[in-house]
Amino acid sequence: MPSFALPRPARPVWLSPKVFRTEFLAGLVVALALIPEAISFSIIAGVDPSIGLFASFTMAVTIAFVGGRPAMISAATGAVALVIAPLNREYGLGYLIACVILAGVFQIVLGALGVAKLMRFVPRSVMVGFVNSLAILIFMAQVPELTDVPWMVYPLVAAGLALMVLFPRITRAVPAPLVSIVILTTVTLAAGIAVPNVGDKGDLPSSLPVPGLPDVPFTLDTLKIIAPYALAMALVGLMESLMTAKLVDDITDTHSSKTRESIGQGIANIVTGFFGGMGGCAMIGQTMINVKASGARTRLSTFLAGVFLMVLCIVFGPVVSDIPMAALVAVMILVSVATFDWHSIAPKTLKRMPVGETTVMAVTVLCVVATHNLAIGVVVGSITAMVIFAKRVAHLVDVTAVTDEDGGRIVYTVTGELFFASSNELVEQFDYTKGGPERVVIDLTAAHIWDASSVAALDAITTKYEHRGKTVEIVGLNLYSAKMHGTLSGELGGGH
């Protein structure tokens, strides 16, 4: 009898020695960079540093399994910290933890409802503005580490930058940021150079987080208190995560499931809340370190970043505390430079780019930098883009008139998109004088009715002519336009 061999399951790509090494080292670099960031965000939220570090650990490990975008780093973030800080300040840590869990539930619901599909309405100019403003924010976050510090910090930062620029020319087997951190830490310890280090940011945890319920009364009043903050956190977290996922898609030239990422963010926040963390979302700076600087491409680097974070804190706490902040500042400065889309502000690009596109990019950048909130910048930028688009399209409606030889009929041919912004101009492009053809034909073959405003405008035109004793016929409606016009004509209150 013939034997049938079952196909061998495909080996995960990260099991390849080369890929595993890249992912392993990338995770280690990200973990090192996460520690001071997580501590800083804990301070913003008004909680103990361990709360931010626990959140970064649980977010990264959970999202590695349930997220939709491989190699993206999720952890405690400044945007989330800013949203929940007032809640913690007024009601305490228990309410903050409950808020994180509820925000996760909201994110799962929003993900299931298809909120990720809204990403298609984010124009490219907003995306470029998002990337550039993010690069500026990453750089601005390093400025406090470069002011009122010992003078030796500056040569250390310069040395770190030089190492990261030059080392890849020798080999790319080891991430240049990791080499820079190790060398600068060794030099400062060996030479006894007194500069700010990671330990100055706060105490590192000495044990793993344990699961538990938030210390709040489970009542309707509690829900009323935390719900507004939870919804704000859910929206900000999703927007940052989805924008970052889209950015990583572009960098890696791969596609990811935004719906899965939305739901995954919710699951990760629920897990984080039950482990006493402050919640979070995708971290753009750390993701750039992982994907751009270190070359990671799989979920393994995200998982290891979370694991290494706890190992470094609990097992190697004293060593990690001695890492000079100058080494990490140098890494983040290089990340900000690499993240910025320099092509977008090149004179040649600005000369060719429509003014509207450049305006949208600039508005996005200004809003983000002014508010330190990427979500606000994206929303304002997208609205600006829509307004400019509507204004541009509104002026593309054209009306031409042709009168029959016998003078008994005039045909108005309308070309363009009819919607709220163009409907007002449409009414003004017809001649309503009494002396003229008795029959008026409005030909919409080359037009499309999009909304009730357009139907109301056509009703107004018809009414003006009928008041002058003329008959109006509307022809050439496509299927959608005919249905819209047939349903709404005469029912809008401003027509007949």
Side-chain angles (χ1 to χ4, degrees):
M1 290 181 66
S3 60
F4 297 97
L6 291 172
R8 296 177 66 182
R11 189 175 71 167
V13 66
W14 52 266
L15 279 179
S16 154
K18 184 179 179 182
V19 174
F20 183 83
R21 184 182 69 234
T22 300
E23 303 295 308
F24 182 92
L25 294 173
L28 181 57
V29 175
V30 170
L32 289 168
L34 269 175
I35 293 172
E37 294 268 297
I39 295 173
S40 298
F41 299 146
S42 300
I43 294 167
I44 292 172
V47 297
D48 189 78
S50 62
I51 305 296
L53 290 164
F54 287 159
S56 297
F57 163 61
T58 52
M59 285 291 298
V61 169
T62 307
I63 208 70
F65 292 97
V66 300
R69 174 63 258 178
M72 190 164 77
I73 304 297
S74 290
T77 58
V80 167
L82 286 169
V83 170
I84 59 179
L87 177 65
N88 180 64
R89 196 162 48 242
E90 194 167 344
Y91 295 98
L93 181 61
Y95 283 83
L96 183 150
I97 300 300
C99 171
V100 170
I101 295 170
L102 183 59
V105 173
F106 282 150
Q107 287 178 329
I108 291 174
V109 172
L110 290 168
L113 290 174
V115 71
K117 292 176 183 175
L118 294 175
M119 286 300 295
R120 75 179 77 171
F121 296 107
V122 177
R124 182 187 175 279
S125 49
V126 173
M127 190 67 193
V128 173
F130 169 81
V131 170
N132 289 347
S133 55
L134 134 75
I136 293 169
L137 286 187
I138 292 173
F139 182 82
M140 287 173 64
Q142 311 316 309
V143 173
E145 305 296 338
L146 297 171
T147 52
D148 297 323
V149 292
W151 70 270
M152 273 302 297
V153 167
Y154 304 111
L156 284 172
V157 170
L161 290 169
L163 277 167
M164 286 183 287
V165 170
L166 299 175
F167 188 78
R169 298 182 183 182
I170 301 170
T171 178
R172 292 183 179 272
V174 181
L178 179 59
V179 174
S180 175
I181 291 169
V182 171
I183 290 177
L184 291 187
T185 303
T186 304
V187 168
T188 53
L189 290 176
I193 301 171
V195 289
N197 57 31
V198 171
D200 296 331
K201 290 288 181 181
D203 295 329
L204 303 181
S206 57
S207 62
L208 287 170
V210 292
L213 293 174
D215 183 19
V216 293
F218 293 91
T219 62
L220 190 59
D221 286 339
T222 299
L223 184 62
K224 287 178 182 176
I225 292 169
I226 66 173
Y229 293 99
L231 183 59
M233 176 184 162
L235 293 172
V236 168
L238 279 184
M239 190 168 294
E240 288 217 22
S241 300
L242 294 175
M243 291 292 285
T244 306
K246 192 171 186 298
L247 177 60
V248 178
D249 286 356
D250 294 340
I251 292 170
T252 60
D253 196 23
T254 56
H255 175 72
S256 63
S257 170
K258 306 302 183 295
T259 298
R260 179 176 171 180
E261 183 60 41
S262 302
I263 295 171
Q265 287 290 329
I267 294 170
N269 271 308
I270 291 172
V271 171
T272 297
F274 281 120
F275 275 91
M278 60 180 269
C281 61
M283 287 195 82
I284 301 156
Q286 269 62 27
T287 298
M288 291 300 101
I289 292 175
N290 198 45
V291 176
K292 261 195 165 182
S294 304
R297 292 292 182 271
T298 77
R299 298 174 185 275
L300 182 63
S301 55
T302 307
F303 174 76
L304 289 177
V307 172
F308 285 148
L309 176 66
M310 279 295 100
V311 171
L312 288 169
C313 289
I314 296 169
V315 182
F316 300 102
V319 176
V320 172
S321 296
D322 287 331
I323 294 174
M325 284 303 299
L328 299 174
V329 167
V331 172
M332 298 311 291
I333 289 174
L334 196 69
V335 166
S336 71
V337 172
T339 302
F340 197 92
D341 186 351
W342 297 99
H343 175 73
S344 66
I345 60 168
K348 188 186 291 186
T349 305
L350 294 174
K351 191 181 290 184
R352 293 179 179 177
M353 193 69 66
V355 175
E357 300 281 319
T358 306
T359 301
V360 170
M361 180 185 75
V363 166
T364 305
V365 171
L366 288 172
C367 282
V368 173
V369 173
T371 63
H372 284 239
N373 190 320
L374 289 157
I376 290 175
V378 170
V379 170
V380 173
S382 297
I383 291 171
T384 304
M386 289 173 190
V387 170
I388 291 172
F389 173 76
K391 189 177 179 183
R392 189 184 301 155
V393 174
H395 293 297
L396 295 179
V397 173
D398 185 51
V399 179
T400 56
V402 177
T403 306
D404 287 356
E405 290 181 5
D406 61 4
R409 185 183 76 154
I410 183 169
V411 178
Y412 288 95
T413 302
V414 182
T415 305
E417 306 300 320
L418 304 182
F419 66 112
F420 63 89
S422 60
S423 56
N424 290 332
E425 288 188 9
L426 180 68
V427 177
E428 298 165 4
Q429 295 188 56
F430 287 77
D431 182 8
Y432 305 103
T433 54
K434 282 197 173 183
E438 294 299 310
R439 288 183 60 214
V440 177
V441 177
I442 302 174
D443 185 357
L444 297 177
T445 305
H448 185 92
I449 296 175
W450 284 106
D451 60 6
S453 298
S454 306
V455 176
L458 291 170
D459 282 355
I461 294 166
T462 302
T463 301
K464 284 176 181 287
Y465 279 120
E466 288 178 346
H467 284 167
R468 290 162 177 76
K470 300 181 181 183
T471 60
V472 179
E473 182 185 4
I474 297 175
V475 300
L477 291 165
N478 60 37
L479 192 62
Y480 179 90
S481 299
K483 185 178 179 182
M484 176 80 74
H485 187 264
T487 303
L488 298 177
S489 181
E491 304 294 330
L492 299 171
H496 299 293

